[in-house]
Amino acid sequence: MEPSSTGLPRPAVTIDHVVAWAHQHFGVEGRGVELGSQQDRNVLLTGDDGSQHLAKVSNPVFARAEIEAQNLVMRQLSARGHATPRPVPSLDGDEIVTVDVDGVPHALRLLTFVPGSPLSSTGAPWPATLAQIGRLAGQVATALADVVHPGLERDLQWDLRQGESVVADRLALVDDPGRRALVEEAVARVRTRLDPVRDELPTQPVHGDLTTDNLVGGRDAVGALQVTGIIDFGDAMTSWRVAELAVACSAVFRDEPGQPLAVLPLVEAFDAEVHLTDAELTALWPLVVLRGATLVVSGAEQLAVDPDNAYAAAALDDEWAMFEVPAAQDPEVMTAAIRLALGRPVTAPPVPSLVAPLVPSFTRRPPVVVRLGHDSDVLWDGSWLEDGGSVEQRALDDAASDGAAVTAFAEGRLTRAPALSRDQPATVALGVDLRTASAVTLAAPFAGTVTRRDGAVVLTGRDHAVVLRAPQADVPDGATVSAGDALATTDRATVWLTVADAVGDRLPPRFVRPAELAAWRTRVLDPAPLLGTPPLPDGGPDDLLARRTGAYAPLQSHYYAAPPQIERGWREHLIDTTGRHRLDMVNNVTILGHGHPEVAAAAADQWRRLNTNSRFHYAAVAELSERLLATVPDDLDTVLLVNSGSEAVDLALRLTAAFTGRDDVLCVTESYHGWTVASDAVSTSTSDNPRADETRPAHVHAVELPNAYRGTHRGAGAGEAYARDAVGEIERLAAAGTPVGTWIAEPRNGNAGAIGLAPGYLPRVYDAIRAGGGVCVSDEVQVGYGRQGDWFWGYEEHGVVPDVITMAKAMGNGHPLGAVVTRAEIARALADQGTFFSSAGGSTLSSRIGGVVLGILERDGLQEQARVVGAHLRAGLERLAERHDLIGAVHGRGLYLGVELVRDRTTLEPAAEEAAALCDRLLQLGVVVQPTGDRQNILKVKPPLCFTRESADFFVARLDEALGG
């Protein structure tokens, strides 16, 4: 039979035909819309009352018994509590009726419709969703294990037991010769892996196509995507049990082509329901590859016989990804990764027995190990992002200038990581690079056979192999060598040490993803013994988080339940120990960006010169104070320097109490001002202190945050209404004999999620406070210092001038530094309580750093960058809000924004659980962001001011993806 003649064109029927038949045979009326299918015709019927049914005209090649078996499988799963279509009896009581299409009888069924969207339409599934799919697939396997029906014994091209012959029969239909060769080679490797275990694989009825196309879902009460139903039972058959899992895994690569191990949550969940045998674990990855190959050839076949099948045509690229991604992986490594994830034993590689050193000259003088990871001392100032390969070469050349140098095995290199990356990049080195000042001999460390392939010299011994990529090799292909025989003479090479069978049909890659390292270490070993360098630690379980919790009070919490270990940063990127860069959306402390070379240089220079306290006389403290005063109105003429924002607020409250002679303070709700006794007393945010309302001292009073989005007063005119309420409270307190001495508020409430104080509010309050003899403090610790773009200080937005300004965070770009700026008369009020002194606040080091930060802010135009990039970012977020109902509002200005998530845009029910889940998902997608606010439903967006448009677009794209865009 010619390959092109085995395809199955869909039944030649129209929607009108199907609608008429549904009415004639089932008494159901409705509007028809065709749904996609490879080989059947599916029409969704919607009645005037909203009821829905699926009319299915099966391809005539399928026998009635096969269709009856599909109905049985649906009923079986429905009886187990799964949402599936169910056959609807015809007017004559039959579940299957026969209709005539051009003289050929076709089977027609009417099925109940399972509501929900196919998971394939909701974007890349989260790991939690993949786990649901795996769990469901395992439950389906369990439910169908005892089902018996002759119609399940099918000669079907989707039965992976026939996969190799299916591919062979259709391979000629793949037009591209390169692709055709890849499929042929991959299936040959599959056969080699399957042959030893075929007869051990359990068989049973399976659904046969449990992919995201045939699973429907919806959002639950907290917005998490849930798998709610199973559709399309056209491939129900008897097959290998593990094939059900392989099919489900294969579909993952359509959405995750850059992450081969994205299937692990699915596999783990399936195994929890159906304990996979060792034979099934051996067969799983080859079957995933075979499923992809089957899809590729079947898709080509379907288009050959049905060129107008848009459904089949649209699937071609996805089908290629579902083959290409798993086929490109080493099946032994993928199987090891699966076994490790399931807690199954994995054979450790044998310890190499080395008879001779790889580089004999290294026995006299070992090479220097050049570190290129997070702890590198040769990579600075983001140089690794320019051209990673060239940077590596220069570092090795410099280190080997008078000897030899090598890189480290299993190190996550900065040089291999892009600044912005959705997927975990391949940063971990399996090969070790070697460089020498002059050419040296590379010798065989053990006896073996030499082969030359893929530009490499491969020495294969009894248990191990050495792979060398060197410009000059000294041995011919096929030579047999003894330990100590020369292999190459060169001044540069890359070296791998592997188990012998790891180089059978492919060579190991130079770099792998960090998630794959543990599996690769069952095949590739540290070549340190060959090179005379210290071996890498064994890579056992990392207990750093437990050590932190044990020694460092858990009260000082950390982001994320399973946090990445962040050890480096550059600009707006945080870098973990694998070398992966993540976009930092939360660090308003490092306003200039991480690792700023000028700040670091100034700090190092000052440390070497002098670091002492401000009671000594030196220039830096005067220079910093003058620069700060240049940013504020002339009336504010005095600076006091401290270590932090908490201390700044604490000091401000002492100053204002001394100046006014009053202890009573008025603040707004949902605010955070610090952790000292005084600053905590005016911090009303329950997200920072759940007992804030009940522990607030009697002298501290709070008025409602003037939130025009969700507060008591909303929309236009809210500021005036909130101001009336606040003025009323000021007057009430005065009448009660407790007049307000100090008003303190942020000009934009940072902790509440960049909530702006409603327009017109602050001037009225300032006037009322001052009319009553009080003074006003503007807490600019979070929102000041140019972050809002349009203004350097937040109070400028409201057209007011405070009596006292507190600042910190951004002042030192991460160095602890804070300040209070006020009038001299207010500062003098504290004189009768003694002099004020902060050991490190105005030190030479702190003052020097503070001056440098201000200078760079001005020179590099970072306030303007905050304005321009912040506007671009906000516009992108607002576009997302038009498509995702979960986004209720975008607050803020410049690069201090808040994305408020709500479950209902009318009730504004906070979406706190969704916010937490989004933060976890965004971490996986390369973004660090956290929730904030008393309801924990606002994503705080406050990156360093060096933040670029490219980074803004990346954040918007990843948030869109996480939201299901």
Side-chain angles (χ1 to χ4, degrees):
M1 179 180 292
E2 292 296 324
S4 61
S5 67
T6 60
L8 297 177
R10 293 167 298 166
V13 300
T14 66
I15 293 175
D16 289 342
H17 285 135
V18 176
V19 170
W21 288 332
H23 176 64
Q24 175 186 350
H25 295 287
F26 295 92
V28 171
E29 295 184 348
R31 299 177 303 280
V33 175
E34 184 167 3
L35 305 181
S37 174
Q38 282 274 10
Q39 52 207 18
D40 299 325
R41 289 283 183 182
N42 295 325
V43 175
L44 174 62
L45 300 173
T46 304
D48 291 338
D49 60 355
S51 61
Q52 292 184 307
H53 293 83
L54 181 71
K56 189 176 188 73
V57 182
S58 296
N59 197 291
V61 74
F62 299 124
R64 184 181 183 91
E66 294 175 274
I67 299 171
E68 290 173 344
Q70 294 172 25
N71 289 349
L72 173 62
V73 168
M74 285 186 270
R75 288 195 297 270
Q76 176 77 358
L77 291 179
S78 180
R80 294 291 186 96
H82 297 292
T84 71
R86 296 184 306 279
V88 176
S90 69
L91 296 176
D92 294 332
D94 297 322
E95 292 183 348
I96 304 170
V97 300
T98 302
V99 295
D100 184 275
V101 180
D102 296 330
V104 178
H106 286 62
L108 169 70
R109 285 175 291 166
L110 191 71
L111 306 175
T112 59
F113 183 72
V114 179
S117 300
L119 296 185
S120 57
S121 68
T122 62
W126 294 18
T129 305
L130 292 176
Q132 288 184 48
I133 294 172
R135 188 176 309 112
L136 179 60
Q139 291 169 350
V140 167
T142 301
L144 299 182
D146 299 325
V147 172
V148 177
H149 192 284
L152 292 171
E153 306 304 323
R154 309 173 70 184
D155 183 15
L156 200 62
Q157 70 191 59
W158 305 116
D159 184 353
L160 289 181
R161 294 178 299 176
Q162 305 179 38
E164 293 129 289
S165 61
V166 167
V167 173
D169 290 344
R170 295 161 175 79
L171 188 58
L173 292 169
V174 178
D175 292 334
D176 186 309
R179 288 190 169 189
R180 192 163 58 245
L182 286 174
V183 172
E184 187 172 25
E185 293 165 7
V187 173
R189 291 193 294 269
V190 165
R191 182 177 294 108
T192 300
R193 297 273 297 169
L194 285 181
D195 280 348
V197 297
R198 286 180 198 275
D199 296 338
E200 301 175 42
L201 299 176
T203 60
Q204 67 159 73
V206 297
H207 175 281
D209 201 10
L210 282 176
T211 69
T212 51
D213 288 323
N214 295 324
L215 296 172
V216 297
R219 303 282 173 180
D220 63 14
V222 298
L225 185 65
Q226 300 292 334
V227 183
T228 56
I230 308 169
I231 60 175
D232 195 349
F233 287 76
D235 295 337
M237 60 185 156
T238 297
S239 186
W240 287 321
R241 179 177 66 181
V242 70
E244 191 84 280
L245 175 58
V247 168
C249 288
S250 179
V252 175
F253 302 119
R254 173 173 51 193
D255 299 303
E256 297 290 358
Q259 300 189 88
L261 293 183
V263 299
L264 288 182
L266 195 158
V267 176
E268 292 176 72
F270 184 95
D271 183 67
E273 299 290 333
V274 178
H275 187 75
L276 293 163
T277 67
D278 283 341
E280 287 178 307
L281 292 176
T282 298
L284 176 56
W285 200 264
L287 289 176
V288 172
V289 176
L290 185 58
R291 166 68 174 187
T294 304
L295 288 170
V296 169
V297 299
S298 297
E301 176 192 39
Q302 193 65 37
L303 279 180
V305 299
D306 191 3
D308 297 327
N309 190 332
Y311 179 84
L316 289 180
D317 288 342
D318 287 343
E319 288 164 351
W320 182 253
M322 292 156 71
F323 161 75
E324 183 182 37
V325 175
Q329 314 309 314
D330 185 310
E332 291 282 357
V333 172
M334 294 298 104
T335 301
I338 290 168
R339 294 187 69 92
L340 288 168
L342 299 181
R344 306 293 180 85
V346 177
T347 303
V351 176
S353 300
L354 305 177
V355 178
L358 179 67
V359 187
S361 62
F362 285 0
T363 59
R364 298 187 298 274
R365 184 182 178 188
V368 173
V369 178
V370 177
R371 306 294 304 201
L372 298 172
H374 68 91
D375 55 353
S376 173
D377 290 328
V378 298
L379 300 178
W380 299 108
D381 306 339
S383 60
W384 58 89
L385 294 173
E386 298 164 7
D387 180 351
S390 297
V391 170
E392 291 173 356
Q393 300 305 320
R394 288 196 298 271
L396 279 167
D397 288 342
D398 290 345
S401 60
D402 63 347
V406 296
T407 57
F409 173 73
E411 179 180 55
R413 295 190 190 176
L414 301 184
T415 45
R416 298 291 160 168
L420 298 171
S421 176
R422 175 201 181 273
D423 299 328
Q424 189 180 66
T427 58
V428 179
L430 294 184
V432 167
D433 299 324
L434 178 155
R435 192 78 76 256
T436 57
S438 58
V440 296
T441 297
L442 305 184
F446 44 75
T449 302
V450 173
T451 55
R452 306 280 293 274
R453 54 195 171 95
D454 299 334
V457 176
V458 182
L459 169 66
T460 305
R462 185 186 64 185
D463 297 319
H464 295 87
V466 171
V467 180
L468 301 176
R469 290 197 185 277
Q472 183 65 46
D474 299 334
V475 291
D477 187 43
T480 299
V481 299
S482 300
D485 288 352
L487 298 176
T489 302
T490 183
D491 65 351
R492 62 194 60 221
T494 302
V495 182
W496 291 260
L497 174 63
T498 76
V499 296
D501 65 353
V503 295
D505 60 3
R506 67 180 86 194
L507 299 181
R510 192 175 173 200
F511 297 96
V512 298
R513 299 167 189 85
E516 300 161 7
L517 176 60
W520 272 106
R521 292 192 71 172
T522 67
R523 311 282 290 160
V524 180
L525 296 84
D526 185 355
L530 281 66
L531 301 168
T533 56
L536 185 79
D538 64 7
D542 183 4
D543 63 350
L544 180 62
L545 189 59
R547 287 167 48 204
R548 168 185 168 133
T549 304
Y552 184 70
L555 184 65
Q556 302 166 97
S557 62
H558 56 77
Y559 293 144
Y560 305 108
Q565 186 179 335
I566 303 296
E567 296 286 356
R568 196 153 186 168
W570 172 245
R571 291 179 58 87
E572 67 265 42
H573 310 286
L574 293 167
I575 305 169
D576 68 21
T577 51
T578 72
R580 184 177 185 183
H581 295 49
R582 288 181 174 86
L583 185 60
D584 180 4
M585 300 303 296
V586 300
N587 245 307
N588 60 333
V589 177
T590 47
I591 195 167
L592 306 180
H594 301 287
H596 199 288
E598 291 177 68
V599 176
D605 178 79
Q606 191 60 53
W607 269 114
R608 298 185 72 179
R609 294 177 185 277
L610 172 70
N611 189 28
T612 190
N613 67 72
S614 59
R615 283 178 171 160
F616 291 92
H617 180 47
Y618 46 82
V621 71
E623 292 167 353
L624 173 59
S625 298
E626 289 170 345
R627 296 193 77 151
L628 288 172
L629 293 178
T631 68
V632 299
D634 292 343
D635 287 350
L636 298 170
D637 54 10
T638 299
V639 174
L640 300 97
L641 295 173
V642 291
N643 301 317
S644 69
S646 293
E647 288 182 285
V649 170
D650 193 290
L651 175 59
L653 294 173
R654 281 191 66 189
L655 289 171
T656 56
F659 179 71
T660 62
R662 300 174 183 174
D663 291 329
D664 285 82
V665 180
L666 187 61
C667 54
V668 299
T669 57
E670 300 185 43
S671 299
Y672 175 76
H673 295 287
W675 57 265
T676 66
V677 172
S679 60
D680 179 68
V682 296
S683 294
T684 54
S685 170
T686 54
S687 65
D688 290 283
N689 178 3
R691 300 181 60 202
D693 292 339
E694 60 187 272
T695 59
R696 188 176 304 135
H699 70 278
V700 176
H701 316 278
V703 292
E704 183 181 356
L705 170 68
N707 183 341
Y709 174 70
R710 69 157 58 247
T712 300
H713 309 295
R714 303 180 185 181
E720 182 63 29
Y722 280 117
R724 285 196 302 270
D725 294 346
V727 170
E729 178 65 3
I730 293 166
E731 292 172 347
R732 185 192 69 77
L733 290 169
T738 53
V740 175
T742 303
W743 160 267
I744 184 168
E746 294 177 282
R748 179 174 296 279
N749 195 311
N751 231 54
I755 302 296
L757 305 189
Y761 175 79
L762 209 54
R764 285 280 311 275
V765 173
Y766 269 41
D767 287 346
I769 291 291
R770 286 167 172 161
V775 294
C776 301
V777 177
S778 183
D779 184 354
E780 303 274 355
V781 168
Q782 296 204 67
V783 300
Y785 246 64
R787 175 163 289 280
Q788 294 192 63
D790 290 310
W791 312 280
F792 192 82
W793 299 111
Y795 64 77
E796 296 175 86
E797 176 183 5
H798 301 278
V800 299
V801 176
D803 303 292
V804 181
I805 306 171
T806 57
M807 62 196 74
K809 291 192 185 297
M811 287 186 69
N813 201 52
H815 179 80
L817 179 58
V820 175
V821 175
T822 186
R823 300 195 302 273
E825 59 179 323
I826 294 177
R828 285 195 298 269
L830 199 61
D832 63 357
Q833 298 180 32
T835 60
F836 169 76
F837 170 68
S838 175
S839 295
S843 70
T844 47
L845 179 64
S846 296
S847 298
R848 175 85 177 275
I849 291 173
V852 168
V853 170
L854 276 172
I856 295 170
L857 268 175
E858 180 179 350
R859 184 198 68 199
D860 292 354
L862 293 184
Q863 180 181 340
E864 175 65 6
Q865 181 153 333
R867 185 186 71 80
V868 174
V869 178
H872 176 75
L873 174 58
R874 177 166 179 146
L877 293 170
E878 288 172 338
R879 286 193 296 273
L880 288 190
E882 294 172 2
R883 296 192 293 106
H884 298 291
D885 290 341
L886 191 65
I887 299 178
V890 179
H891 306 294
R893 282 182 178 270
L895 287 176
Y896 205 113
L897 303 175
V899 182
E900 181 150 6
L901 307 179
V902 297
R903 294 175 186 162
D904 185 293
R905 289 187 174 183
T906 301
T907 66
L908 304 186
E909 180 185 0
E913 290 88 350
E914 295 88 327
L918 276 174
C919 290
D920 287 340
R921 177 58 174 157
L922 286 166
L923 183 70
Q924 297 163 355
L925 296 176
V927 177
V928 174
V929 68
Q930 285 290 295
T932 191
D934 280 9
R935 301 161 195 84
Q936 290 291 286
N937 69 313
I938 302 179
L939 304 181
K940 52 185 173 185
V941 177
K942 46 193 180 103
L945 299 196
C946 57
F947 195 72
T948 64
R949 288 173 68 98
E950 182 184 15
S951 292
D953 291 342
F954 180 83
F955 173 62
V956 171
R958 299 289 74 77
L959 179 57
D960 184 26
E961 177 180 351
L963 288 167

